[in-house]
Amino acid sequence: NSWMNNRIVLTFVLAEELGRFLHSDIPVVWKKYDEGLHTWLLRLTEDFDLTFPLPREPVNIVPCLLPDEPPEDVSKSNCTV
């Protein structure tokens, strides 16, 4: 469906700089659609593994748009598995 492709492309354009799709951008990205669909559209990107939510943050990661190098403020000592 071309309308969905257009919205997903716009999502990725907004997220391109850091591979992060801020939830605050949702009203801009999906302004043509009823606000009641915004959560569904976001979940759709997650269901198709296009984006992944970050726990406790209003942002989804877009893996294909993440920079090659990790940010300077991230170190292995900060990571827990």
Side-chain angles (χ1 to χ4, degrees), residues 4 8 12 40-52:
M4 178 58 81
I8 290 174
F12 290 163
W40 176 77
L41 290 167
L42 183 62
R43 297 296 172 258
L44 194 61
T45 68
E46 294 169 3
D47 288 346
F48 285 95
D49 292 337
L50 300 172
T51 71
F52 298 87

Side-chain angles (χ1 to χ4, degrees), residues 49-73:
D49 292 337
L50 300 172
T51 71
F52 298 87
L54 282 182
R56 301 175 300 279
E57 289 189 49
V59 63
N60 278 42
I61 295 297
V62 184
C64 65
L65 298 177
L66 287 171
D68 292 332
E69 297 296 321
E72 291 180 17
D73 63 341

Side-chain angles (χ1 to χ4, degrees), residues 14-30:
L14 287 174
E16 187 170 358
E17 185 177 330
L18 298 172
R20 296 166 58 96
F21 178 43
L22 303 176
H23 294 182
S24 60
D25 289 336
I26 288 174
V28 174
V29 174
W30 294 320

